Amino acid sequence: MDPLELLIDLHRDGERQGPGGDAETELALQLAGVDRTAPLQLADIGCGTGASTLLLARLLPNARITAVDLRPEFLDVLQARARQQGVAGAITPCAASMDNLPFADGELDMIWSEGAIYNIGFARGIAEWRRFLKPDGLLVVSEITWTTAARPADLQRHWQAEYPEIDRASAKIALLEQHGYAPIGYVVLPRRCWLDHYYRPLQARFNDFLSRHGHSEAAQAIVSAEEQEIRLYEAHSAHFSYGMYVARRVG
């Protein structure tokens, strides 16, 4: 397997492919002021195996959700979980790239994207996705965000190399305003969303993952990189997190 296939194999069995939590997803939905009984057209972009998709399907019983991910392997897991939870009828899986989405202009009441917009960048994503929203349509995205004005040099170097668009919430909110949105709310993911919901379950899968791949050099490199990221978070979690940004399309 190449490194990308190994990453998919490591993350495919996870409930989440990044930090997050049901309580935080529901809080963002509350901040958006959504009528939960309305027949909404919603897209969950970069949905992975569907942690947020499945919760939204339960919380919005009349919504039609298009679950978009580039990886069919993740969508297969999502569909199986949706059937188990009795919400498969509300979810349409869609294997597509987030820079080539199959929606018409003004088709969607809401766009949701947790831990995924970094794949094309926050500024590009919010700019390109806006046209798919109806006037006054809602956008909820989570994005890696500095939570302090200054931070340790090693942390700064790591995230500037991994994702140069990392910035403070004030800068992200300004981008939303510049690209035709009115910000409504902002939620910072707490440590449990990283450790309890993502990193600890990920660590629990390392041994099986390495065994499946014969402790190959490539598989060990994947685990080492994940362990380094976990150590960085444990040491410096006061300085960064995911922020969930809630905004409304203007015009």
Side-chain angles (χ1 to χ4, degrees):
M1 286 187 178
D2 64 26
L4 178 57
E5 290 174 322
L6 286 169
L7 274 172
I8 293 166
D9 184 65
L10 174 61
H11 288 280
R12 181 174 52 195
D13 294 333
E15 180 180 351
R16 295 182 177 276
Q17 287 69 54
D22 285 359
E24 289 67 33
T25 295
E26 185 162 11
L27 177 56
L29 191 64
Q30 291 172 355
L31 289 172
V34 174
D35 177 358
R36 298 193 183 191
T37 65
L40 303 172
Q41 294 292 326
L42 187 154
D44 186 0
I45 301 173
C47 62
T49 59
S52 58
T53 315
L54 296 168
L55 179 60
L56 291 168
R58 297 194 298 272
L59 295 175
L60 303 170
N62 296 316
R64 302 295 301 176
I65 302 174
T66 303
V68 181
D69 202 274
L70 185 61
R71 308 308 310 185
E73 302 95 328
F74 289 160
L75 294 174
D76 289 343
V77 175
L78 187 158
Q79 286 182 281
R81 292 176 178 171
R83 288 192 293 270
Q84 292 168 358
Q85 297 181 27
V87 294
I91 299 169
T92 301
C94 176
S97 173
M98 62 177 61
D99 61 1
N100 187 27
L101 295 169
F103 304 113
D105 290 0
E107 179 178 347
L108 300 172
D109 297 289
M110 178 178 284
I111 289 175
W112 201 279
S113 183
E114 293 194 35
I117 198 171
Y118 72 89
N119 284 289
I120 59 171
F122 185 84
R124 181 183 173 189
I126 63 172
E128 292 186 0
W129 299 350
R130 182 181 181 276
R131 68 185 181 91
F132 302 124
L133 286 169
K134 297 174 182 178
D136 294 325
L138 294 162
L139 174 78
V140 179
V141 295
S142 68
E143 164 81 336
I144 194 77
T145 301
W146 294 129
T147 54
T148 57
R151 72 282 313 184
D154 61 334
L155 182 67
Q156 180 82 32
R157 284 193 301 271
H158 171 83
W159 281 112
Q160 284 298 141
E162 290 293 319
Y163 185 57
E165 281 196 48
I166 189 171
D167 211 332
R168 287 184 285 176
S170 55
K172 300 296 180 181
I173 291 170
L175 282 170
L176 286 165
E177 293 169 337
Q178 291 166 20
H179 287 290
Y181 297 89
I184 297 172
Y186 167 61
V187 178
V188 179
L189 297 190
R191 278 175 62 90
R192 68 174 179 275
C193 288
W194 292 76
L195 297 176
D196 299 342
H197 300 168
Y198 178 53
Y199 283 146
R200 299 303 180 237
L202 180 65
Q203 287 173 310
R205 299 197 301 274
F206 284 163
N207 286 338
D208 286 345
F209 169 75
L210 290 170
S211 295
R212 282 199 304 275
H213 299 287
H215 291 263
S216 69
E217 184 176 337
Q220 291 185 60
I222 294 288
V223 169
S224 294
E226 298 284 4
E227 288 177 331
Q228 179 184 3
E229 181 182 305
I230 293 168
R231 287 193 297 270
L232 198 67
Y233 178 77
E234 290 173 332
H236 299 305
S237 63
H239 298 283
F240 72 101
S241 187
Y242 268 100
M244 294 188 71
Y245 296 85
V246 183
R248 185 181 302 277
R249 173 179 167 165
V250 178

